[in-house]
Amino acid sequence: MAKRKFKAESQKLLDMVINSIYSQREVFLRELISNASDAIDKIYYKALTDDSLTFDQSNYYIKLIPNKDKRTLTVVDTGIGMTKEELENNLGVIAKSGSHTFKSENEIKDGHDIIGQFGVGFYAAFMVADKVTVLTKSIDSEEGYKWVSQGSDGYTITPIDRKEVGTEIILEIKENEEEDNYDAFLEESTLKQIVKKYSDFIRYPIKMDVTESKLKEGTENEYEDIIEEQILNTMVPIWKKNKSELTDEDYKNFYQEKRYGFDQPLRHIHINVDGTVRYNAILFIPEQAPFNYYSREFEKGLELYSNGVLIMEKCADLLPDYFSFVKGMVDSEDLSLNISREMLQHDRQLKIIAKNIQKKIKQQLLSLLRDEREKYETFFKAFGQQIKFGVYSDFGQHKEELQDLLLFYSSKEKKLVTLEEYVARMPEDQKYIYYASGDSNERIEKLPQTEIVADKGYEILYFTDEIDEFAIKMLMQYQDKEFRSVSSGDLGIEADEKEEEQEETESHKELFKEMKEVLGDKVKDVRASKRLKSHPVVLAADGEISLEMEKIINSMPDDQQIKADKVLEINVDHSIFKALEAAQGNDQDKLALYTNLLYNQALLIEGLPIEDPVAFTNDMSKIMV
């Protein structure tokens, strides 16, 4: 019996299979089970076209047989088997797939598609085995055959006496190495976990004899080990079932079984598409954010299956970043897989699926907002920042997509409101959508800048997240209404008689000029305020950088020092202003003292740091003596 050489560049390619193509050794079992499922699919298809054959699904299964004593793991299937020629062609030529050829020659329908499309899957066995033996008998052959290989040195094929149609693959498992525990692949618990992870939805039963400790009959506390044959896989995936058969509880159980989260999902989305691209998906909108959601450690992505076989645990390409909170899975029959089935070729089908999923997620979020407001607010408190990041990122490319999902706290409603609700309530004379930024709603309510806007009866949106103002700057407007900060120079509010009386006189202008000289480049200007009612002083910002943005940018660890163009606004109707007028021309030192105190007071109101705390405390002391 002469040893035959592989017909490809075996050493190089087999080394790639063992060391490079697959990222985890455990996927060898996924590949062998997928091949076994293919073999049963083939006999099913043959029965459809051959009247002499009948297909009773109860006779077809896959079985795992671990043997610790012999250090072997056997994978048995009752599928179509292989002839000598098929052994030569499929196992003798690395990277040639019998399933792919079968699929090309026969148009597979009736939901029984062939999973395997590459011939390297079988060779994943050599990642865990020193020697692989294949015992097989084809339905089209009178004789059985034995294929044996220890890797890249080649293989042998010999005839054997075998009556049953089907295939047994016997893996002689490697001895443990320093970093690799091969013993695990002989453990029942490990094999069960691998099947559950990758092959739970293979349509045929995957069986194994499992040892269970059970109470001995007739005793109260005496146990014995019982060996029972168990089916390890679910077989019929929930996403292949009719939606009408499923309850909310079924979806929640699936969410828990797949360990998508410890919370309860707020909504599920069950998608069945049978068009240009065929796929099924079950998606979930979680209630709570994972502990690492807003960190670099978080990995987005959906589980991706090809015909019920897990291909990727987290396929990031299926979700845009702004919907990265969505959990779930996609199963498609039309994916272009790479050689290891672990990565996708970035093709048109994947993009179509991702686009459809994105559309469905937005529809569900809008539905949740419309029909279950309380649930949506729960969602938004957990993931609203991510929606806002989506508005801001990519230079506002997605702002139209996301603007109707935004919520902000309203000064008038005292609760979260949408931009659409805000605009619908705007009085006819209101030009802008007003907002105020701060650390909290309570702090914003006390800001002097809100006085004139609130006095007009206009609603103010409160921005308390660091991303808020950046997102709104990118959004720019909503329904043709521009956003305007209450701290901006022009509030678009017409002056009333009282305000006209506050117009700067020539003496005011001279006083403000002197105050500006005291402050130097700390402020761009000093002027009379048209926004203050009861407060003596406030800082406003001219230009694109607001005071809140200055705080946020300067708190980042990249040493950026960004300064807003600050304007010190003085309430000329306040008693403090009279003290300023009294000091002007009479006591320049006192005017400088008052000016610095008012400037620092304005900084404190804004939550900005005082530039010289020692000077500030000294100034306070001077006032007291």
Side-chain angles (χ1 to χ4, degrees):
M1 178 181 61
K3 181 166 287 189
R4 309 176 191 214
K5 295 291 184 183
F6 288 116
K7 295 179 184 177
E9 293 180 351
S10 304
Q11 181 70 53
K12 186 175 180 181
L13 191 50
L14 198 55
D15 283 346
M16 284 175 61
V17 172
I18 295 171
N19 300 313
S20 304
I21 291 177
Y22 295 99
S23 59
Q24 293 178 299
R25 297 191 187 282
E26 64 185 24
V27 298
F28 84 90
L29 191 56
R30 175 192 73 183
E31 298 299 313
L32 296 183
I33 289 173
S34 296
N35 291 344
S37 176
D38 290 347
I40 301 174
D41 280 343
K42 290 175 184 177
I43 204 168
Y44 165 81
Y45 182 73
K46 194 172 182 68
L48 292 177
T49 56
D50 188 339
D51 294 337
S52 66
L53 292 175
T54 58
F55 183 87
D56 181 354
Q57 189 157 339
S58 62
N59 294 329
Y60 295 93
Y61 60 86
I62 300 161
K63 185 161 186 177
L64 308 181
I65 307 171
N67 187 319
K68 290 183 180 180
D69 296 331
K70 294 182 179 179
R71 288 192 70 78
T72 61
L73 173 63
T74 303
V75 181
V76 179
D77 73 69
T78 56
I80 199 166
M82 285 179 280
T83 63
K84 182 180 180 182
E85 183 183 9
E86 287 168 338
L87 279 172
E88 284 275 12
N89 289 336
N90 297 340
L91 302 191
V93 181
I94 298 178
K96 178 172 181 179
S97 169
S99 294
H100 187 271
T101 303
F102 188 88
K103 186 175 183 179
S104 301
E105 293 175 354
N106 302 276
E107 187 180 353
I108 308 301
K109 294 182 179 178
D110 300 319
H112 281 66
D113 207 350
I114 302 300
I115 298 169
Q117 295 189 31
F118 302 97
V120 299
F122 168 79
Y123 294 92
F126 286 103
M127 291 194 298
V128 300
D130 289 320
K131 181 179 178 182
V132 178
T133 302
V134 179
L135 309 176
T136 186
K137 181 177 185 295
S138 168
I139 196 170
D140 296 321
S141 175
E142 294 295 323
E143 197 168 23
Y145 292 91
K146 178 181 181 179
W147 182 97
V148 181
S149 176
Q150 290 181 296
S152 58
D153 61 335
Y155 62 93
T156 60
I157 298 178
T158 53
I160 57 170
D161 181 21
R162 181 180 170 92
K163 295 178 182 178
E164 303 85 6
V165 171
T167 300
E168 289 180 42
I169 301 175
I170 305 164
L171 280 63
E172 296 186 18
I173 301 298
K174 295 178 180 181
E175 295 291 339
N176 288 340
E177 296 175 2
E178 188 174 335
E179 295 182 0
D180 293 299
N181 177 22
Y182 293 103
D183 286 355
F185 301 117
L186 297 169
E187 295 290 343
E188 293 173 6
S189 58
T190 302
L191 296 172
K192 287 167 74 173
Q193 288 170 8
I194 296 172
V195 169
K196 193 73 178 171
K197 180 177 180 180
Y198 293 104
S199 308
D200 196 30
F201 306 115
I202 291 289
R203 63 176 64 89
Y204 305 107
I206 303 170
K207 302 178 180 181
M208 186 170 70
D209 292 338
V210 176
T211 304
E212 299 278 0
S213 182
K214 294 194 174 181
L215 190 65
K216 198 170 183 179
E217 194 174 340
T219 68
E220 292 184 2
N221 55 9
E222 196 175 336
Y223 289 82
E224 60 181 343
D225 288 340
I226 302 293
I227 298 175
E228 295 179 335
E229 185 179 72
Q230 293 183 4
I231 295 174
L232 307 182
N233 59 323
T234 304
M235 288 185 284
V236 181
I238 183 175
W239 59 83
K240 289 287 183 74
K241 294 180 180 178
N242 253 324
K243 297 177 191 177
S244 58
E245 300 174 32
L246 300 167
T247 65
D248 284 344
E249 201 60 34
D250 292 323
Y251 290 107
K252 287 177 182 176
N253 289 338
F254 181 69
Y255 184 86
Q256 299 297 335
E257 286 168 11
K258 298 299 289 181
R259 295 187 177 90
Y260 289 142
F262 296 105
D263 57 341
Q264 293 292 325
L266 294 171
R267 275 280 177 102
H268 67 262
I269 310 167
H270 193 159
I271 306 170
N272 299 111
V273 175
D274 192 10
T276 310
V277 178
R278 295 169 295 169
Y279 71 95
N280 301 295
I282 295 181
L283 312 175
F284 296 95
I285 298 170
E287 181 181 39
Q288 298 172 3
F291 72 94
N292 64 343
Y293 183 68
Y294 290 104
S295 72
R296 291 182 180 178
E297 285 71 38
F298 179 78
E299 288 183 74
K300 70 167 182 172
L302 301 175
E303 288 185 316
L304 184 64
Y305 292 79
S306 176
N307 294 288
V309 178
L310 181 65
I311 303 304
M312 294 177 71
E313 286 191 83
K314 289 185 184 293
C315 182
D317 292 335
L318 287 170
L319 290 174
D321 284 344
Y322 50 84
F323 288 157
S324 60
F325 48 81
V326 173
K327 303 287 185 181
M329 52 66 55
V330 174
D331 185 11
S332 177
E333 301 175 13
D334 300 312
L335 297 174
S336 299
L337 307 178
N338 77 346
I339 196 169
S340 70
R341 284 195 255 189
E342 291 186 332
M343 294 179 290
L344 295 170
Q345 312 293 355
H346 293 276
D347 58 11
R348 188 177 65 87
Q349 288 91 342
L350 190 67
K351 290 178 181 175
I352 291 172
I353 294 172
K355 188 175 181 181
N356 289 347
I357 284 174
Q358 180 180 326
K359 184 178 177 182
K360 292 285 186 182
I361 293 169
K362 182 183 175 182
Q363 287 174 350
Q364 282 297 316
L365 289 174
L366 288 173
S367 170
L368 193 66
L369 173 61
R370 182 181 62 249
D371 303 329
E372 297 180 87
R373 182 60 171 257
E374 190 174 334
K375 279 190 176 182
Y376 186 82
E377 290 185 13
T378 297
F379 152 78
F380 198 80
K381 285 171 184 174
F383 301 106
Q385 281 196 57
Q386 193 65 20
I387 301 293
K388 295 169 188 175
F389 277 119
V391 172
Y392 175 73
S393 63
D394 298 328
F395 303 99
Q397 185 179 336
H398 315 291
K399 62 184 181 182
E400 301 294 331
E401 171 87 0
L402 301 174
Q403 60 185 2
D404 289 321
L405 299 175
L406 296 172
L407 293 180
F408 298 102
Y409 186 84
S410 161
S411 64
K412 187 171 285 189
E413 298 296 313
K414 304 300 181 186
K415 63 181 182 181
L416 294 171
V417 300
T418 66
L419 295 176
E420 185 178 23
E421 290 164 347
Y422 181 101
V423 170
R425 288 193 291 267
M426 284 176 62
E428 285 186 19
D429 64 337
Q430 184 178 339
K431 294 180 181 179
Y432 303 117
I433 300 172
Y434 292 105
Y435 68 87
S437 301
D439 297 333
S440 66
N441 294 336
E442 294 75 21
R443 189 158 184 171
I444 293 173
E445 281 185 343
K446 297 173 183 176
L447 286 177
Q449 295 95 316
T450 63
E451 284 187 318
I452 186 67
V453 179
D455 194 53
K456 282 286 186 181
Y458 298 158
E459 190 171 359
I460 304 170
L461 298 177
Y462 290 2
F463 290 179
T464 54
D465 285 338
E466 290 185 350
I467 188 63
D468 286 346
E469 200 164 2
F470 294 91
I472 289 304
K473 291 282 187 185
M474 193 62 71
L475 191 56
M476 294 173 61
Q477 60 182 26
Y478 180 81
Q479 293 185 8
D480 298 324
K481 298 289 185 181
E482 287 184 34
F483 292 91
R484 187 59 55 95
S485 169
V486 296
S487 297
S488 66
D490 178 16
L491 291 174
I493 296 175
E494 296 299 328
D496 56 24
E497 290 181 7
K498 183 180 179 182
E499 288 164 351
E500 287 174 4
E501 291 172 3
Q502 292 178 345
E503 291 293 335
E504 295 178 10
T505 65
E506 286 302 318
S507 63
H508 290 172
K509 289 182 181 179
E510 186 58 36
L511 172 58
F512 295 147
K513 182 181 176 183
E514 292 178 28
M515 293 177 71
K516 169 69 174 71
E517 288 172 358
V518 171
L519 295 173
D521 60 3
K522 293 178 183 177
V523 296
K524 182 182 178 183
D525 198 8
V526 180
R527 65 189 176 210
S529 178
K530 295 181 181 180
R531 77 185 79 234
L532 294 175
K533 294 293 181 181
S534 60
H535 290 78
V537 67
V538 74
L539 277 178
D542 278 356
E544 289 299 310
I545 304 296
S546 71
L547 300 172
E548 192 65 23
M549 291 170 77
E550 176 187 312
K551 281 196 293 185
I552 294 165
I553 294 171
N554 291 340
S555 68
M556 295 177 180
D558 51 7
D559 294 325
Q560 288 193 64
Q561 289 302 310
I562 303 295
K563 296 292 183 183
D565 289 331
K566 300 180 184 69
V567 175
L568 188 67
E569 292 192 356
I570 307 296
N571 183 354
V572 298
D573 247 7
H574 198 280
S575 56
I576 284 289
F577 184 70
K578 292 180 174 55
L580 288 169
E581 285 185 308
Q584 184 189 13
N586 297 318
D587 191 338
Q588 292 302 114
D589 289 340
K590 186 171 283 190
L591 178 63
L593 176 64
Y594 289 170
T595 299
N596 283 316
L597 281 171
L598 286 171
Y599 173 70
N600 285 318
Q601 181 181 334
L603 288 175
L604 288 171
I605 291 170
E606 286 299 328
L608 290 166
I610 293 175
E611 296 163 18
D612 189 344
V614 174
F616 174 67
T617 55
N618 288 339
D619 287 346
M620 290 293 295
S621 298
K622 290 175 186 176
I623 290 290
M624 297 172 68
V625 295

